[in-house]
Amino acid sequence: SENLQPAWSPDGRYLAFCAHGRGGIWVVPALGGAARQLSDFGSQPSWSPDGRQIAFRSEGVYSLSPIDALPSGSSTIWTVALEGGAPRRITQADAPRGGHSFPVWSRDGKQVLFTANQAVFRAGLWSVDVATLRARELKMPQAPLGSLALSPDGRWLYYVAFRKEGDMVIARVAMLDGEPAGSGEVLRTMTTATMPRELSLSRDGTRLVFGMGSLKTSLHTLRIRPETGLAEGAPDELLRNTSFRNSFPVFSPEGSRIAFF
């Protein structure tokens, strides 16, 4: 029931996923079989290069809205072994400040990269040493929003960002000795309401696949009988929009117009 965010193991034998209905991180053989629960909380599973561990964020999936893919301030990054055992927290709340999300392993398996969302549409890129738990910020050409993905050879970091011009972009930046280098480049631009998520690269690094969540909202009117206060008939659609959420409608004093957010 509502199994989301599938992630292939490096050897292709397993799929890790987030189970929204049952909760937590699960794995299942890629060719079919019984699913096994590794954690009773969390989402966004990410495999270590050797396939022995899975990193994930502590907060689960609470909405499929594009904007709600971002975590709350209490989210942290954890790891759990494929063979089982207690999950291990590798980042601490507010260190760095903001909700921790979108974990991805470095090619050598010693670091986990993640974002710390400090404001709406703005985040910092951080790296935590899995052994020492020491976290450090990585300088980026632009603030990443999330959905991190490393190329198979470790040369490129792909990510989603929100630009001051008001649009969402899929971008990439070169990685040199584990650090972002250069000014980066935009690969695709889209509207804010169609936030890309869960970036994933093909094994040869030549193709990128991602999910898209879009918003379709509408305002409705309902006729009320003044003498009874009861609804008369079915609601009528007043306005449909796919650019953002339409909400908080208010009638003007004379009733001829409606203001809304």
Side-chain angles (χ1 to χ4, degrees):
S1 60
E2 296 185 318
N3 299 323
L4 308 168
Q5 302 170 345
W8 288 98
S9 64
D11 60 8
R13 296 176 57 198
Y14 296 97
L15 284 170
F17 61 93
C18 162
H20 176 60
R22 293 173 290 181
I25 304 299
W26 295 66
V27 293
V28 63
L31 296 180
R36 182 164 54 93
Q37 188 175 26
L38 299 182
S39 169
D40 60 2
F41 65 97
S43 61
Q44 296 179 347
S46 174
W47 291 87
S48 63
D50 61 9
R52 298 175 63 183
Q53 296 187 79
I54 293 173
F56 62 97
R57 81 172 189 186
S58 60
E59 191 164 77
V61 176
Y62 54 89
S63 168
L64 293 181
S65 163
I67 307 305
D68 292 338
L70 306 179
S72 69
S74 61
S75 179
T76 52
I77 304 300
W78 294 63
T79 61
V80 65
L82 177 61
E83 63 265 22
R88 175 186 180 228
R89 184 169 60 184
I90 62 173
T91 69
Q92 303 298 316
D94 290 325
R97 184 171 62 89
H100 306 168
S101 194
F102 303 109
V104 61
W105 292 80
S106 62
R107 293 301 95 186
D108 59 10
K110 296 180 179 180
Q111 308 280 328
V112 172
L113 279 64
F114 64 97
T115 60
N117 291 80
Q118 300 171 357
V120 177
F121 295 143
R122 288 191 62 83
L125 178 66
W126 289 73
S127 175
V128 59
D129 188 291
V130 177
T132 67
L133 305 188
R134 184 177 294 112
R136 61 189 180 92
E137 187 171 13
L138 304 179
K139 188 176 181 180
M140 288 284 286
Q142 63 187 131
L145 186 60
S147 297
L148 307 178
L150 270 176
S151 61
D153 57 11
R155 294 177 55 197
W156 296 95
L157 174 67
Y158 295 78
Y159 60 97
V160 173
F162 178 74
R163 299 195 300 183
K164 62 181 180 180
E165 292 85 357
D167 51 26
M168 290 280 184
V169 298
I170 297 177
R172 72 175 185 175
V173 62
M175 297 293 288
L176 183 63
D177 297 327
E179 300 278 348
S183 59
E185 59 180 311
V186 171
L187 303 180
R188 179 160 181 179
T189 303
M190 54 206 68
T191 63
T192 303
T194 52
M195 178 178 172
R197 59 176 73 184
E198 288 122 25
L199 306 185
S200 180
L201 285 146
S202 59
R203 188 160 296 188
D204 60 6
T206 61
R207 289 187 292 178
L208 180 72
V209 65
F210 55 92
M212 288 285 286
S214 61
L215 293 170
K216 294 182 180 180
T217 66
S218 58
L219 297 179
H220 289 74
T221 60
L222 184 64
R223 190 174 299 277
I224 303 295
R225 288 186 177 180
E227 62 273 16
T228 64
L230 300 178
E232 184 180 71
D236 294 321
E237 186 174 76
L238 178 66
L239 176 68
R240 175 178 291 273
N241 202 329
T242 59
S243 62
F244 218 78
R245 285 174 173 158
N246 294 333
S247 56
F248 305 113
V250 178
F251 273 105
S252 61
E254 80 286 352
S256 64
R257 298 184 179 186
I258 294 175
F260 64 95
F261 172 78

